[in-house]
Amino acid sequence: MAMAALRREGRRFAPLISPRPISAVRSSPIVPTHEYEGPIGVRYISTQVVRNRMKSVKNIQKITKAMKMVAASKLRAVQTKAENSRGLWQPFTALLGDLPSVDVKKNVVVTISSDKGLCGGINSTSVKISKGIYKLNSGPEKETKYVILGEKAKAQLIRDSKKDIELIITELQKNPLSYTQVSVLADEILKNVEYDALRIVFNKFHSVVSFVPTVSTVLSPEIVERESESGGKLGELDSYEVEGGETKGEILQNLAEFQFSCVMFNAVLENACSEQGARMSAMDSSSRNAGDMLDRLTLTYNRTRQASITTELIEIISGASALEG
């Protein structure tokens, strides 16, 4: 009833109102395009600005959804390889052990990270653990170096530990990961560094939303022989018989190299799975946040549009009342 009365009043007084003042009230060249000031001093955001923002948020939401689907497809491809690779290093752990607390002079921290971002905090976690291992194994008679795999760990460690970085390898996942590729990288690392213990830092994959920072330790043949002779956890090595013409030192050298390549292969695959799972979670959260922002922008747009309509109605009625009085 009230709106019908307003429309009738508007039609009644429309011929009496000059079109020039109305156009001047509706749009003025001195009013900014991003806001409109109502008659009572309240500023409203322009509907055009809100529409542009809504369009941007929709485009971002499409990108994040597409990135989530891509990460899911890559995760399925890598997860099977990672599960199969776990059987490679487990026999070496049972035979040679994994001694993170062993005290040696030359430590090499192998930090595995991703080359790309937008995958949560897996790279920061690996870097923090690497720095913690560096501090624990630092001393007047000790030497600790970094070997970095991935651009993200390189960007973080090169800031304050540039002099301690021995080797940097990037673009590891440019091609599909294979044992041949990783074994070549492992051989390159062994040729360029001197070590008593290699401490490999990576993220072990559990599920899409769960990964565990892990440290695997690979000892040099000399340290393995020293630990076995001291009767520690590696004392069972003497119970095995050595066949062929190779000495115990040569066999330990071959075992240590093969153990490092197998552990590296599993670590790279586990970290790749964790990266894709974290990216899926991050993109899913981003898509939900974009949807929430879009809902808020839609509400703001409707309120702004309604406010502008109400303001115009008030101006028409006020002008008609002024002419009538």
Side-chain angles (χ1 to χ4, degrees), residues 81-246:
K81 290 183 178 180
E83 292 173 352
N84 294 335
S85 68
R86 291 172 185 170
L88 287 175
W89 60 269
Q90 289 172 352
F92 291 101
T93 303
L95 177 63
L96 302 176
D98 189 352
L99 306 176
S101 60
V102 64
D103 187 19
V104 294
K105 292 184 178 180
K106 294 182 179 180
N107 291 276
V108 176
V109 182
V110 183
T111 306
I112 300 177
S113 67
S114 64
D115 289 317
K116 299 179 181 178
L118 300 177
C119 53
I122 64 169
N123 297 316
S124 299
T125 303
S126 298
V127 171
K128 287 180 181 177
I129 293 177
S130 300
K131 289 181 177 180
I133 294 174
Y134 180 88
K135 290 180 181 179
L136 287 174
N137 294 280
S138 298
E141 297 181 358
K142 294 183 179 181
E143 182 183 6
T144 305
K145 295 292 184 180
Y146 286 112
V147 172
I148 301 174
L149 276 70
E151 285 284 352
K152 293 303 175 180
K154 169 190 170 184
Q156 295 186 45
L157 288 173
I158 206 168
R159 298 171 190 167
D160 52 359
S161 305
K162 187 175 182 180
K163 61 182 179 61
D164 298 319
I165 297 175
E166 195 75 19
L167 186 64
I168 298 175
I169 300 173
T170 58
E171 297 185 356
L172 187 60
Q173 300 184 39
K174 190 174 183 180
N175 299 315
L177 293 170
S178 63
Y179 178 76
T180 304
Q181 177 189 4
V182 177
S183 62
V184 171
L185 294 177
D187 187 57
E188 185 72 18
I189 293 172
L190 294 176
K191 287 180 179 178
N192 287 276
V193 298
E194 295 181 1
Y195 72 98
D196 292 330
L198 291 160
R199 305 184 188 275
I200 306 166
V201 181
F202 63 98
N203 294 281
K204 187 176 180 62
F205 177 78
H206 279 193
S207 66
V208 175
V209 294
S210 174
F211 56 89
V212 179
T214 308
V215 180
S216 294
T217 305
V218 177
L219 303 178
S220 66
E222 295 80 10
I223 302 299
V224 171
E225 191 168 2
R226 186 194 74 183
E227 291 293 322
S228 63
E229 290 175 355
S230 64
K233 294 183 178 180
L234 303 181
E236 297 181 358
L237 282 175
D238 294 332
S239 62
Y240 292 90
E241 295 182 1
V242 178
E243 296 181 356
E246 294 182 341

Side-chain angles (χ1 to χ4, degrees), residues 11 23 54 60 66 70 102 190 214 287:
R11 286 195 298 268
S23 62
M54 290 171 64
I60 293 173
V70 171
V102 64
L190 294 176
T214 308
S287 299

Side-chain angles (χ1 to χ4, degrees), residues 296-316:
R296 292 195 296 270
L297 287 172
T298 303
L299 182 60
T300 302
Y301 173 77
N302 292 334
R303 285 179 176 175
T304 305
R305 183 170 171 273
Q306 187 63 40
S308 64
I309 294 172
T310 305
T311 302
E312 291 183 2
L313 287 174
I314 291 173
E315 290 171 355
I316 292 173

